Amino acid sequence: MKETEETEELRSARAMRLAVLGDTHAEGRATELDAVGAEFQDYLTTTAWGVWARGGALSPRDRSLLVLAMTAALGRMEEFRLHLDGGPRVGVTDAEVDELLFQITAYCGAPAGSAARRSVRAVRAGREGER
């Protein structure tokens, strides 16, 4: 199995993932990997989180809202919940997520909007339980 080179791009992508998702998610992924899993995770991190770390006109908050909309549109509720949980770390407010649900429903349909709403309620209930 090919060993992934520790590039600046990978380090930046890992740092962004940690900043958005927090310690629990980032560390949890690292402990469950074999050699292929580690290479795959590095590839995924460089690809998905590298676009966040590249800078540009979109802020991490903007990117978070976009990822929420796209994952809801695709029905990827596990990823939607993951990014919903990380949203406040980059400045996404509950009011913005509530408004986003209307956009999701209007452009992606009632099933996508309803599934996203159920996920929002579950994530918020989990937050309340942690307090």
Side-chain angles (χ1 to χ4, degrees):
M1 194 79 255
K2 178 180 132 186
E3 187 174 317
T4 304
E5 182 183 343
E6 184 77 19
T7 64
E8 182 58 35
E9 182 181 26
L10 179 56
R11 282 189 293 277
S12 294
R14 284 178 179 159
M16 182 59 71
R17 181 185 67 199
L18 181 63
V20 175
L21 300 182
D23 293 334
T24 304
H25 174 74
E27 289 175 12
R29 295 285 169 122
T31 60
E32 61 191 43
L33 300 176
D34 57 16
V36 173
E39 182 181 357
F40 180 79
Q41 186 61 47
D42 286 348
Y43 173 78
L44 179 65
T45 299
T46 301
T47 303
W49 291 101
V51 75
W52 286 65
R54 68 180 286 279
L58 296 175
S59 69
R61 180 195 150 281
D62 297 337
R63 292 177 196 278
S64 183
L65 287 166
L66 287 166
V67 169
L68 286 168
M70 290 183 283
T71 54
L74 293 168
R76 305 297 197 259
M77 289 299 114
E78 183 178 351
E79 290 294 314
F80 179 84
R81 285 187 295 275
L82 181 70
H83 284 273
L84 184 63
D85 190 49
R89 290 185 191 92
V90 291
V92 175
T93 67
D94 283 352
E96 290 170 322
V97 171
D98 290 343
E99 191 60 33
L100 185 64
L101 291 171
F102 288 93
Q103 290 292 122
I104 291 166
T105 303
Y107 283 88
C108 304
S114 295
R117 177 71 181 130
R118 284 190 299 275
S119 291
V120 166
R121 292 179 67 185
V123 168
R124 288 181 182 165
R127 272 193 228 149
E128 289 299 315
E130 292 173 1
R131 292 181 188 174

